[in-house]
């Protein structure tokens, strides 16, 4: 089966779905752009269910699919000190991937511009005037999509060479407790009352959806992931010994690994084939947050396509943000800063809305400098001076 379109979008994760949705809902007067979204069929190559969290002011385009949202965040030090922060006018939002896929399915089913094809892409071949995505359906039927532009959101086989690469790895339980346990008005963003690993840092993360329901995660920033049993032991300890949750049942689970790296992700692989999303550097190196940067990147790509401009995805984060993240990653990796103390201090001394905008790369230089007053200057300066002499090394993708 051969299909022709202006655009082929490879992969139906956050970036692929976001780009397809923006192309399916063109602004008034925009150039018509046809697209095919190539999503892996059910099976081992389809990404497992997961949640994405992000913050924004006021209503957003995906609110009908949002599971819950909050306007208060908490950070707890290892010693139990609590920072309770209001983030208005921002809201911290939790989006379930299945709900997002369902929203995209409803929109695409009524779109005359974008079609969805369940087929696994094997390779993308450059041809004169465009590229061809070679794929096959679950029944073995071959599919070839020829497009002027291809946007590939699949994870690369290897991470780019980097001076520092840490992994944010986690396992979460969706739990239901017998008695009320959670505060539905606030997210436990970083609870450092977890046993700290010898290298890196760990914390609990709680997204409450009701007094008795929450997603509870154990997260580490370190050089390598744990085995499933180790995550489960950490989660049991956190729920029973730290939170004192009492009786509970696990209704679902999620697990993941997010590279935190200062490597330079290429946004183009050939003349008309681009990477987009995390594959193009959308993940914020120092925090692992990705979803908001994906929205900025896909918005810019869609706007360029609708205006007939060259659609090279923009860098997701500014040069200044990337440099600051490189310094922090180096400092964390080399033990120059105490991670729990570092993040607790920032949230206790910087207004939470400003700090969230900083983590999203949306602050001005004066605001960045004001935040810099609350970091350990000697440690950060030491890492900044060491960076030029730190070689870049490759790292396998997770």
């Amino acid at each position: 089966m051969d299909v022709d379109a202006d655009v082929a979008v490879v992969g139906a994760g956050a970036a692929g779905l976001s780009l397809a949705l923006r192309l399916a809902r063109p602004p008034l007067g925009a150039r018509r752009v046809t697209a095919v979204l190539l999503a892996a069929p059910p099976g081992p190559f389809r990404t497992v269910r997961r949640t994405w969290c992000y913050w924004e002011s006021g209503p957003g385009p995906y609110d009908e699919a949002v599971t819950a949202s909050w306007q208060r965040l908490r950070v707890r030090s290892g010693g139990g000190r609590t920072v309770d922060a209001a983030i208005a006018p921002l809201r911290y939002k939790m989006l379930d991937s299945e709900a997002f896929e369902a929203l995209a399915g409803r929109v695409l089913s009524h779109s005359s511009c974008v079609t969805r094809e369940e087929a696994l892409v094997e390779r993308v071949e450059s041809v004169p005037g465009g590229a061809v995505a070679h794929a096959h359906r679950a029944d073995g039927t071959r599919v070839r999509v020829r497009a002027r532009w291809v946007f590939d959101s699949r994870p690369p086989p290897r991470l780019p060479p980097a001076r520092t690469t840490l992994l944010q790895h986690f396992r979460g339980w969706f739990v239901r407790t017998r008695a009320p346990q959670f505060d539905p008005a606030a997210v436990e963003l970083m609870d450092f009352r977890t046993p700290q690993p010898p290298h890196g840092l760990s914390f609990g993360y709680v997204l409450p959806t009701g007094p008795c329901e929450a997603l509870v995660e154990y997260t580490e920033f370190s050089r390598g992931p744990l085995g499933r049993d180790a995550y489960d032991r950490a989660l049991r300890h956190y729920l029973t010994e730290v939170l004192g949750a009492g009786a509970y049942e696990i209704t679902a689970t999620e697990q993941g690994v997010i590279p935190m790296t200062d490597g330079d992700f290429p946004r183009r692989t050939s003349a008309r084939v681009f990477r987009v999303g995390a594959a193009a550097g959308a993940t914020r190196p120092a925090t692992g947050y990705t979803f908001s940067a994906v929205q900025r990147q896909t918005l810019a790509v869609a706007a360029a396509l609708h205006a007939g401009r060259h659609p090279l995805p923009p860098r997701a984060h500014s040069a200044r943000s990337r440099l600051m993240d490189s310094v922090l990653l180096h400092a964390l990796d080399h033990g120059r800063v105490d991670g729990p103390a570092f993040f607790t201090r920032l949230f206790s001394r910087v207004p939470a809305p400003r700090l969230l905008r900083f983590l999203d790369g949306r602050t001005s230089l004066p605001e960045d400098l004001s935040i810099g007053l609350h970091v350990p200057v000697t440690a950060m300066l030491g890492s900044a001076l060491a960076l030029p002499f730190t070689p870049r090394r490759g790292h396998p993708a997770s």
Side-chain angles (χ1 to χ4, degrees):
M1 174 183 174
D2 289 354
V3 179
D4 289 321
D6 296 318
V7 172
V9 180
V10 180
L17 290 175
S18 298
L19 181 54
L21 281 168
R22 295 188 186 282
L23 294 177
R25 297 186 284 199
L28 188 64
R31 177 191 296 256
R32 176 177 168 79
V33 176
T34 60
V36 176
L37 172 65
L38 288 156
F45 293 100
R46 176 168 286 189
T47 307
V48 297
R49 177 186 178 186
R50 64 274 191 215
T51 56
W52 298 298
C53 288
Y54 58 101
W55 45 87
E56 62 186 349
S57 178
Y62 311 131
D63 281 358
E64 66 182 270
V66 165
T67 303
S69 66
W70 304 266
Q71 285 196 299
R72 300 197 71 82
L73 303 178
R74 292 197 188 101
V75 173
R76 299 182 191 267
S77 72
R81 177 190 175 194
T82 300
V83 180
D84 193 323
I87 64 170
L90 301 175
R91 295 196 75 90
Y92 191 91
K93 299 182 179 183
M94 174 187 181
L95 180 63
D96 180 87
S97 63
E98 291 184 352
F100 191 41
E101 289 167 9
L103 168 62
R106 291 192 296 273
V107 173
L108 297 187
S109 67
H110 294 95
S111 173
S112 62
C113 301
V114 182
T115 58
R116 176 187 171 109
E117 180 71 46
E118 287 205 344
L120 182 65
V121 174
E122 301 160 346
R123 62 189 175 93
V124 178
E125 173 192 14
S126 291
V127 298
V132 177
H134 297 264
H136 66 270
R137 295 178 178 143
D139 63 3
T141 304
R142 312 297 298 183
V143 178
R144 294 195 312 169
V145 179
R146 182 184 178 111
R148 292 182 59 213
W149 310 103
V150 173
F151 296 89
D152 193 345
S153 66
R154 296 172 299 173
R158 290 189 65 82
L159 297 175
R163 290 166 296 206
T164 308
T165 297
L166 295 176
L167 300 179
Q168 180 180 154
H169 51 99
F170 57 90
R171 181 168 171 81
W173 289 348
F174 292 84
V175 300
R176 182 179 296 117
T177 58
R178 184 172 300 171
Q181 172 64 45
F182 307 109
D183 177 5
V187 169
E188 300 283 344
L189 187 69
M190 288 180 160
D191 187 344
F192 293 111
R193 294 176 297 170
T194 52
Q196 295 300 309
H199 180 271
L201 60 92
S202 74
F203 55 90
Y205 177 49
V206 182
L207 297 166
T209 55
C212 300
E213 296 85 28
L215 168 58
V216 180
E217 290 188 352
Y218 172 80
T219 300
E220 279 193 15
F221 293 0
S222 60
R223 291 177 180 168
L226 307 178
R228 176 173 169 174
D229 289 346
Y231 289 118
D232 287 348
R233 284 194 300 272
L235 280 164
R236 281 193 295 270
H237 174 269
Y238 182 63
L239 271 163
T240 58
E241 301 299 323
V242 178
L243 297 183
Y248 61 86
E249 64 173 318
I250 303 168
T251 59
T253 64
E254 72 169 25
Q255 187 166 331
V257 179
I258 302 171
M260 302 169 65
T261 172
D262 65 354
D264 187 11
F265 285 79
R267 292 165 290 151
R268 165 186 270 166
T269 58
S270 65
R272 291 179 175 266
V273 180
F274 307 103
R275 291 198 176 276
V276 69
T283 299
R284 183 73 195 261
T287 65
Y289 282 104
T290 305
F291 196 80
S292 291
V294 164
Q295 302 314 304
R296 295 195 296 270
Q297 203 173 61
T298 55
L299 176 62
V301 167
L305 289 167
H306 285 138
R309 303 193 308 269
H310 191 271
L312 174 67
R315 289 191 180 275
H317 305 288
S318 69
R320 187 170 75 248
S321 294
R322 297 196 305 274
L323 176 59
M324 290 187 293
D325 284 359
S326 291
V327 172
L328 177 56
L329 282 177
H330 188 278
L332 287 172
D333 190 42
H334 288 78
R336 293 178 184 271
V337 298
D338 178 313
F342 177 88
F343 286 107
T344 303
R345 180 185 177 96
L346 279 183
F347 274 92
S348 65
R349 301 197 174 191
V350 179
R354 181 189 303 170
L355 188 54
L356 289 180
R357 288 190 294 105
F358 170 77
L359 296 179
D360 215 13
R362 293 177 179 269
T363 42
S364 64
L365 178 58
E367 288 176 313
D368 289 348
L369 293 174
S370 72
I371 292 170
L373 297 174
H374 304 293
V375 304
V377 175
T378 302
M380 301 298 276
L381 181 59
S383 281
L385 293 174
L387 276 181
F389 306 99
T390 304
R392 291 183 179 270
R393 296 184 174 90
H395 196 286
S398 300

